[in-house]
Amino acid sequence: MIDETTASATWDDLVSAALLGTERRTPLVTGRADRSAAGALLDAAAVSTVRRRAALRPAPARERPVPAPSDPRPPLPPAARRRLGLLLADRNGTSGGHRRGTAPDLTELLPQWLTAATEYGYRAPEALLPALLDAARARTDLRAAALGFAGPRALWLARLNDEWKFALRGVGSTAALPGPDDPEAVRALWEEGLFAERVSLLASLRRRDPAAGRALLAGTWSTERAEDRLMFLDSLREGLTVADEPFLEQALSDRSRNVRGTAAELLSALPGTALAGRMADRARACVELVRIEDGASTFADAGHTSGKAGEDAWTLVVEAPHECDAAMQRDGVVLRPPTGRGRRAWWLSQLLEAAPLDCWSRWLGGREPAAIVALPVADGWRTELHDAWCRAAVRQRDVIWTRALLGAPGAAQPGTGTYGTGPAAPQTVGPAANPATTTATTATGSTTGTASASGASASGAAPDNPAGSSRDLARLLTVLPEDERARWVADFIAAHGLSDAFRMLGVCAVPWSEPLGRAVVDALDIARDAGSYPWSFSGVMGLAERCLDPAAADRLDMLTATPDEPADGSPGAVGYWSEAFQRLVGTLRLRATMRAELAP
Amino acid sequence: MNPQGERWTSDHVLALAPDAPSRKAGSRLATPGSWPETGTRGSAVWGLCKGSGSKPYQTVVDTAGPAFKCSCPSRKFPCKHALGLLLMWAGEEGAVGEGEPPAWVTEWLGARQQRAEKNAARADNGRAGDGGSGGPSSAANQDAARRRAALRVLRIAAGATELEQRLEDLLRSGLASADRTGYGTWDETAARMVDSQAPGLAARVRELGSAAASGPDWPSRLLAECSLIHLLDQAFLGVERLPHALAATVRTRVGLTTDAADVLAGADTTSVRDRWLVLAQQDAEEGMLTSRRIWLRGERTGRMALHLSFGGRDRPLDLSLPRGLALDADLAYYPGASPLRVVLGTRHADPAPVSGPPPGGGTDAALAAYGHALRDDPWLDAWPVVLTDVVPIPGRDGEPWQLADADGESALPVDPRCTERAGLWGLAAISGGEPVTVFGECGHRGFVPLTTWDPEPVAL
């Protein structure tokens, strides 16, 4: 049917003939007599196409990837592997905007699944590595756990795909890094490695031989770029010791302000350093314990209502620094306050934060931290002083001061910054830039939560008073041991309900201790009985789904029923509550299942 | 329980899901809270699922098929409700209790039973000889059908002639003008082919539009596709003179389909009994329809087979075979010069899982298999092959991925249209730079990977 001679033209000839068109060019091929030039060209092209396709040859192989390092960890049990696939598949397609219904939110369970799987020491299923890398890329909070579980093959894979480059930065495995026993390799990698490799090298070396790590850093310190110096310095935070002081002290004279600030912060976290001593001296000059004998004193009335005889006459008087000199700035005190904050109060807070807390007992007549916190403070400096102590307690991880500052959970009022360690401690809020205002707001005793809360809001409206308190109770709680922390939060919730508990719950160990779990469930039950809608508590609900001990599920089952609508409740609320509790129970059961699936 | 006395595994259920979102949605529904009512009896599992509306969805599954029916509007098949129900049933003994099937379940089961009996009867009739039982009225029907078929052939021939004219016009004025005309002209020509009742030609013509817009080297691709349409036109116009098998291929390519029942009953149909390993199952949206391709390989014969089915709004896909199962059955090949597509005939046993990859060959053998098949059917774009011991090499800087022989220097380029598919990275991860077995389609545009083994089959 098709003339063999037409196929002698090359494919490229045929294509250019076709591009131009047969009417513009002498026919390249001639077919049978009854074929037009175009038909003959199509005939020839068809023969050539089939011939070329049938004669396809393999291409020369490009360079093959180096085989991935072996991963000796055992594979996941089949059910757990399936579960991971579902958790990862859910990541992209959460039905945004829809009511959550009764189904568990799988995305939120991925972090704890990863943690558990890593504890068991399983190897990640190879087929799911791309999804794991994508998850780690999308969620920085998952990154370390996901990459740790994904293991060496994921890093091997990341080297082949630019989208996963992030995995090669930092957090990578330290297995391949040279140790202190191989100074040559360390030196070579330190001098020639990528920044991420150098950060990992420094961290791993410091873990094994802190002095060697420091020496390595000091060797090239002056030639590093400012942002790199900052990152390296930050990596000293782990395993910081007094031996690091000389190096840090030297960094206080760094060219970069951020480096200086970080060095000062690290130094102040180490009690007993020269910087801590200098800050202590400065702080001491600002706070004085005064005995007020004169009944005419502004604070005498408030003081005398206290039941603690002998303490009430003593008052802390605060005199904020008048200037921030070069020496203070070298020690990390930042000159310019943030907007809306007075300069002197700003300087004071930085001094107090960096001064070692254990000095205060010595200076204040051997009083325990709890007694110091209970002392009245003159002129409305109380919040400023206590806030700074809170930050110092966090920085210095001081449990005793933390306990004192937190006080009894039943009395604490989050957000307002006021709390009573003694029933009638004088409440003054904010630095007394304007004594008249202060006097007007001083007299409230914190006998009830409402009273102190209203006191705070009143002073919040006062001129020259910046935000009442910047105290971060959740951070402060992290200083306490886990069980004590959980107990404190449980008591807090029992006293104040859930509205302010979200961040505190976030710092409690998972799964929640029995008393904490019970407090949260009781509070949710109370909220339901009060007739509010469950989405006012969606944050806590979400946390509870993730953090409650799965063993609590059976106790919760009764709450999933839909009781009759109370007359005064929000319309439809009971239905939504029942749905929310069903989801809670469902999620807890699912977590228990997930755990069981992981068991070898 | 199914008749074999065993519940399925969750893996089996999940493998039935048409895509990842369905798997996810199904898993979410696998909680008793979503199902106010469930039950099982014999091979049937049913349940009422709370949906967004006031009326719950009625979901029923016959695990013997498996066959699915749900009153939800989803076009996925099986839908998330069926998957959720099965997952719950598979997950835990007693999660779905024995019960008396409600009316809507028995109705559906009864209808299935009737249909199966009718099919069996028709197949028997077919084998007994065409129209053996027919009276005068059926003879008249057959006459009418024959007249209709003859008329259609004439229409298609007219369409093919018209298409030839258009192709020659194009070649006369030159392809250079074609990339400027865009899709419009091709769509119009394709519509003419639909009018001529030649859907096969229409589809090929529509493809010309994308060939003309396929980036550098488009003239080469456009000319190749034009010439193959030309070849098909010419073949159809002279179809009486072609050998029997090739003529069947040409008719199929043009769009004249053969009924599955006729394939099963056809006197000269090749029917092969083997243990058929499911190599891959893939769904695709094609306009209003969902197509499902299931690739199979005969354990004894080494033959490849493709089961193609279509589902629409009112007609769910009726067959679902997860990768890794082997099915002892008769497969009847559609007539053609290079037979591949099959109808599922008698099943001799229920599907059973098979572990590990099937035997295959290297890149040379894969291209040879494609070339061999092209000799019989020049319009073939690709041929299914199993590649053994190949190392995936990721593409870099616009270069396509490759599957390279573990020994030697040869490689198959992966079809560039797959480059964005996530599955390729899964393949690379499973390989880890070591040789793997890959099943896929090998064609002139490269290799399209569909399955690999780790050693369980993994979809790509």
Side-chain angles (χ1 to χ4, degrees), chain B residues 120-189:
Chain B
R122 205 162 63 188
D124 285 346
N125 281 345
R127 269 192 260 283
D130 256 323
S133 63
S137 72
S138 91
N141 279 344
Q142 280 179 358
D143 250 13
R146 253 196 290 280
R147 261 200 311 281
R148 274 200 305 278
L151 199 61
R152 184 169 176 199
V153 168
L154 287 178
R155 283 221 187 88
I156 297 177
T161 311
E162 182 186 340
L163 186 53
E164 274 297 273
Q165 199 56 53
R166 291 191 181 216
L167 287 174
E168 288 196 15
D169 287 349
L170 175 68
L171 267 289
R172 203 169 295 122
S173 53
L175 298 181
S177 57
D179 73 322
R180 287 192 296 275
T181 53
Y183 287 84
T185 328
W186 302 122
D187 280 351
E188 195 249 308
T189 311

Side-chain angles (χ1 to χ4, degrees), chain A residues 56-193:
Chain A
L56 278 173
R57 303 291 312 140
R62 289 199 307 270
E63 196 189 335
R64 293 171 176 80
V66 187
S70 69
D71 188 342
R73 295 178 290 176
L76 283 170
R81 180 200 159 119
R82 200 161 51 231
R83 180 73 57 193
L84 177 63
L86 291 172
L87 295 179
L88 287 169
D90 201 53
R91 199 174 59 79
N92 309 311
T94 18
S95 46
H98 286 206
R99 203 156 55 81
R100 288 189 54 207
T102 55
D105 186 348
L106 297 181
T107 323
E108 293 300 334
L109 299 181
L110 185 54
Q112 50 184 266
W113 190 95
L114 288 172
T115 312
T118 309
E119 277 168 17
Y120 279 112
Y122 287 121
R123 181 175 81 227
E126 289 78 14
L128 295 177
L129 291 180
L132 271 169
L133 281 163
D134 283 343
R137 185 168 69 129
R139 286 180 60 180
T140 41
D141 61 319
L142 273 181
R143 202 163 278 181
L147 290 181
F149 173 61
R153 187 168 287 206
L155 295 184
W156 173 86
L157 204 57
R159 257 175 234 120
L160 299 172
N161 186 342
D162 288 347
E163 288 194 11
W164 297 326
K165 259 188 186 156
F166 73 89
L168 305 175
R169 262 178 255 137
V171 288
S173 89
T174 54
L177 292 170
D181 46 325
D182 189 358
E184 281 304 304
V186 167
R187 180 59 59 183
L189 184 61
W190 181 250
E191 276 162 10
E192 288 151 31

Side-chain angles (χ1 to χ4, degrees), chain A residues 18 24 43 59 61 64 68 90 93, chain B residues 24 168 173 175 230 405 409 411 432:
Chain A
R24 245 163 285 184
D43 283 350
R64 293 171 176 80
D90 201 53
Chain B
K24 182 192 78 189
E168 288 196 15
S173 53
L175 298 181
H230 165 74
D405 285 330
E409 293 309 312

